[in-house]
Amino acid sequence: MASSSPSPIKNRRILAKVLMDRHGYGGPDDCITSIRCNGREFHIEMSPFYICDSPVVEARYRKFIAAVKGEFVEDAEEDEHDVLEDFHEWLIVAFEPVFLELAPDVPPSFDPEKLATGEAHPLLSEYLFPEEYCCRLETENDKAFPVHVRDAESRFIHTPLNDIHPELARELRQCGVRFFDPFEVAVAFRKPRDALVEEPTRVLVELDGSGRKTLCFFKTFGLGGDIALEDELEAHLRVIRSTLAPDARVVRLHGVVTVDGRIAGLLLTHIDHGRQNSGPLFEDHLLHVPIALRQRWANQIRETVEQLHDAGLVWGDAKAENVMIDTNDDAWLIDLGGGYTEGWVDKDKAGTKEGDLQGVAKIIEHLSNEEYESYSETDSFKSD
């Protein structure tokens, strides 16, 4: 499976973005590409079987499917990302007539203007289960014929739903974890324009019956993510049952979103990271971070890991990517689901305090090794 994230492509009255490519439907070189357009989702089936007397399109598709499968051989002229982006742009243009026919307007819950004014109040259910259309790409003599397959059932599951053991669900409820339906959760995009092209991760939910809504991070798991989901829930259960201080900067579980008894996602602590220096602790993130601030983060990471260990807990997958910096320049630990990442924690130390300390040492080394360069007036960060 592969996907790319080019800038949304605006064509007259439509705003379309590719969400995902999935190969292997029907045959090894078949693919279904899902595109969100004006709040609807289009699942476009493609196969060499539907490419007739079209050598140019066939060559383009062969390169595309190789990139989707991770088999594309890059050269000096183009890489895998270029191939995916080029094909996606071509596909969106080819299906513009279908988009204009079936999605000529924007539903209120996806309309940036209505969201900005507060006129629309979107619910998570609208995004998890959007209006969907099945389509097929056919070509003849190198001319594309976009087809809307009417009355066809989609072979693509938009929202992966996962199962957990009933005993785990019972333990969560016993520990006070609430389960919510998607219609009980409101979507709160930071930027209204994201409603048309992004999946919702910033949501509002009433957690305690007080009428006050809490901002949460909505985390989903992919198809086949049952084991990862259970591992993370079990880790959160250990946190809930532990003596870990409430103010420890560790992401907590606030609720579970379910659909017909299956898990759609988790409601976690929302870490606000909408300004300079905030966000995940990636390498390219550090160039403009002052040394004193890096030292602050190093001290906070050490302190939080010590708090975890004192409470009988472990972080697990200790690495820079699992540190989130908030708008107050505080470092939070995320992803307590266990596992390890090669290069950060040795396999035989995974899930242990020793492994945590090894990962922390490498994070601190990572913070110390990057050079510092101050922002100039011309290239300073500007939030949009």
Side-chain angles (χ1 to χ4, degrees), residues 62-83:
R62 290 294 182 187
K63 287 200 299 183
F64 164 73
I65 198 66
V68 170
K69 295 162 69 174
E71 299 173 354
F72 179 74
V73 179
E74 299 183 357
D75 55 34
E77 295 184 357
E78 58 184 354
D79 58 22
E80 184 176 288
H81 174 80
D82 294 332
V83 171

Side-chain angles (χ1 to χ4, degrees), residues 64 110 138 141 175 181 209 218 229 245 248 290 301 305 310 314 317 321 328 346:
F64 164 73
F110 293 82
E138 299 179 0
N141 297 324
C175 288
D181 287 317
F218 178 63
L229 172 61
I301 293 167
V305 170
D310 289 344
V314 294
D317 195 7
E321 188 178 344
N328 294 320
D346 294 340

Side-chain angles (χ1 to χ4, degrees), residues 52-70:
C52 301
D53 299 322
S54 304
V56 175
V57 172
E58 182 174 5
R60 183 195 295 263
Y61 182 76
R62 290 294 182 187
K63 287 200 299 183
F64 164 73
I65 198 66
V68 170
K69 295 162 69 174

Side-chain angles (χ1 to χ4, degrees), residues 238 308-309 312-316 336 351-353 356:
R238 290 192 289 271
L308 283 173
H309 291 178
L313 304 167
V314 294
W315 182 6
L336 302 180
T352 68
K353 292 182 180 180
D356 282 356

Side-chain angles (χ1 to χ4, degrees), residues 1 4 21 40 72 102 122 135 167 182 211 221 229 233 235 269 273 307 314 319 364 368:
M1 179 181 70
S4 64
D21 301 304
R40 287 83 164 182
F72 179 74
L102 301 177
C135 301
E167 179 63 20
F221 293 77
L229 172 61
L233 285 172
T269 303
H273 54 90
Q307 289 177 297
V314 294
K319 59 181 178 180
I364 292 172
S368 304

Side-chain angles (χ1 to χ4, degrees), residues 165-180:
H165 195 280
E167 179 63 20
L168 177 56
R170 185 185 65 80
E171 291 181 50
L172 288 166
R173 288 189 169 91
Q174 285 181 341
C175 288
V177 177
R178 288 190 58 191
F179 286 63
F180 297 88

